[in-house]
Amino acid sequence: MNPEQLDIYDVTIVGGGPAGMYAAFYSGLRAMRTKLIEAKMELGGFMRTYPEKLIWDVGGIEPVRCEKLIESLERQARTFDPTLIFGQEIADMERREDNILVLTSRTGELHYTRTVLLCAGRGMTHIQKLDIQGASRYELTNLHYTITDYSRFRDKHVLISGGGNAAVDWANELADVARQVTVVHRRHEFGGHEQPVEQMRAVCKVMTPYSLTRLYGAGERIEHVELVHTGTGEALQADVDEVVVSHGYDRDFGNLTSWELHGGDYGVTVDAQMRTSEPGVFGAGDFITYDSKVRLIAGAFNDAVLAVNSAKKYLDPGAAKMAGVSSHNPRFLEKNKKINQRSKS
């Protein structure tokens, strides 16, 4: 089939997390015909796992619930009307003789594009569940792997097992809601950022190094748990109302890491311009690694800008290195008029 007969995009973004959504906006700003493909049926990526979490570290935005940030990012992503494809997991990529890249989904759909931007984030994540006999019976009652509604923990004793950022953040936010929050972690050191860890130690009961080893319940609810000191083996029991397990996620990138792209233990490696080892293929967000990588939502935005700029230069070496600033970018002229008219009415 001739290229003229194909529906070819300038850039196809694989993944609809924060990096993918911002890349969809910024590539539209650069007048690139854009397609975004998301394996799930909604945008947001890994951010969907903690909708109630307060996000503090996005520049210029006051603390906001994650679900609200997702909504804002999605509206921004749709600014220049990119094509959005949901429910397709990309499994293969081939390069035609005419240099057009062909992406194939697991269900056989073909997508034609001049460049690819990989924003797969943490891939298809799977919660690391509690490896304790009988734990699954409590999953519909008071054993939780994520938190979507803080109100259900009001005035209760909540035990949180875990030591990463999510466990620390949940502990701090539940401290204002629950009667008591106890955090158990198998090591003395926590993986979260320093300030939230200090706050947690001040407002929660912290037990380290302890592991959650047994659950005791009546019917389908946990009533108390067994905790074991990982150094001495000493066991103790504690009454609880709710148990939250935050032991991380298993990552599944499908076939993306088998595309002969240079990579390490996590995703693919890019250079300072977000270029992978394959010409025309770029990356942004948590899926990529480079020396100064910042694994924050704010870092994903910067990655997306650099990747889109590189894709634009790949397609048109004479193009500007970056888009004009929004205050005088012609792409916003009509949109600014409409906004100004609404504000005056």
Side-chain angles (χ1 to χ4, degrees):
M1 185 179 293
N2 293 326
E4 292 78 10
Q5 298 174 287
L6 300 176
D7 192 15
I8 303 172
Y9 285 76
D10 293 324
V11 59
T12 297
I13 302 162
V14 179
M21 286 189 281
Y22 196 72
F25 163 75
Y26 194 76
S27 59
L29 186 60
R30 299 227 60 181
M32 300 171 73
R33 188 162 184 254
T34 302
K35 176 185 285 187
L36 186 153
I37 304 172
E38 167 56 44
K40 296 181 180 180
M41 297 307 295
E42 59 186 359
L43 297 175
F46 189 73
M47 296 169 70
R48 290 284 180 187
T49 63
Y50 43 84
E52 284 289 314
K53 182 179 177 181
L54 275 173
I55 306 298
W56 285 76
D57 53 7
V58 177
I61 297 178
E62 295 182 347
V64 60
R65 295 290 178 193
C66 191
E67 61 185 350
K68 295 299 182 183
L69 181 57
I70 294 172
E71 292 172 5
S72 296
L73 285 170
E74 181 169 353
R75 286 194 297 270
Q76 185 182 48
R78 294 176 179 272
T79 300
F80 298 106
D81 299 318
T83 297
L84 302 179
I85 305 293
F86 295 100
Q88 291 190 29
E89 181 181 351
I90 298 302
D92 193 23
M93 178 182 70
E94 294 183 287
R95 187 183 299 275
R96 292 164 40 117
E97 290 184 0
D98 57 8
N99 222 28
I100 298 298
L101 295 167
V102 184
L103 300 176
T104 305
S105 74
R106 285 195 180 278
T107 47
E109 292 88 353
L110 300 179
H111 303 275
Y112 300 90
T113 185
R114 294 182 173 86
T115 65
V116 172
L117 178 46
L118 298 175
C119 299
R122 304 188 187 195
M124 300 291 283
T125 54
H126 307 283
I127 294 171
Q128 292 184 8
K129 293 193 173 184
L130 195 60
D131 187 17
I132 294 177
Q133 185 176 3
S136 61
R137 78 170 73 170
Y138 304 113
E139 291 180 5
L140 296 179
T141 53
N142 61 340
L143 175 60
H144 314 274
Y145 292 102
T146 188
I147 295 177
T148 58
D149 180 8
Y150 287 128
S151 64
R152 70 176 299 160
F153 300 95
R154 189 172 303 281
D155 300 324
K156 295 181 178 180
H157 179 199
V158 183
L159 182 135
I160 299 177
S161 177
N165 282 317
V168 173
D169 290 342
W170 283 336
N172 286 329
E173 297 204 28
L174 287 175
D176 293 331
V177 177
R179 182 179 75 255
Q180 178 183 335
V181 177
T182 300
V183 181
V184 297
H185 183 39
R186 58 192 175 90
R187 290 190 291 268
H188 285 299
E189 301 79 16
F190 284 82
H193 301 302
E194 293 89 344
Q195 193 280 332
V197 170
E198 290 180 6
Q199 179 185 350
M200 176 192 66
R201 292 188 183 278
V203 297
C204 302
K205 180 180 179 181
V206 177
M207 299 179 63
T208 61
Y210 278 90
S211 291
L212 176 60
T213 53
R214 294 191 67 178
L215 307 174
Y216 298 90
E220 296 181 349
R221 290 190 65 83
I222 302 166
E223 292 188 338
H224 59 277
V225 300
E226 179 185 78
L227 306 173
V228 172
H229 193 284
T230 59
T232 65
E234 174 192 10
L236 56 86
Q237 293 188 0
D239 294 333
V240 297
D241 298 310
E242 306 283 342
V243 176
V244 179
V245 175
S246 180
H247 292 175
Y249 295 81
D250 294 321
R251 304 179 183 98
D252 180 7
F253 293 118
N255 289 1
L256 295 184
T257 53
S258 65
W259 289 0
E260 298 184 359
L261 302 172
H262 294 166
D265 296 333
Y266 193 103
V268 300
T269 301
V270 298
D271 64 12
Q273 283 74 47
M274 304 298 113
R275 298 176 297 199
T276 72
S277 55
E278 181 70 24
V281 181
F282 309 88
D286 277 348
F287 183 62
I288 63 168
T289 298
Y290 55 94
D291 287 344
S292 57
K293 173 64 183 168
V294 176
R295 298 197 182 280
L296 295 173
I297 294 173
F301 298 158
N302 190 64
D303 291 347
V305 169
L306 293 172
V308 170
N309 285 338
S310 292
K312 182 72 174 182
K313 292 288 287 183
Y314 174 85
L315 295 175
D316 179 9
K321 291 183 179 180
M322 60 175 286
V325 296
S326 60
S327 58
H328 59 265
N329 191 299
R331 298 282 284 171
F332 287 116
L333 288 178
E334 290 302 316
K335 296 180 183 299
N336 286 343
K337 289 180 182 178
K338 293 179 181 178
I339 292 172
N340 288 331
Q341 288 172 355
R342 285 200 301 267
S343 65
K344 293 177 182 179
S345 61

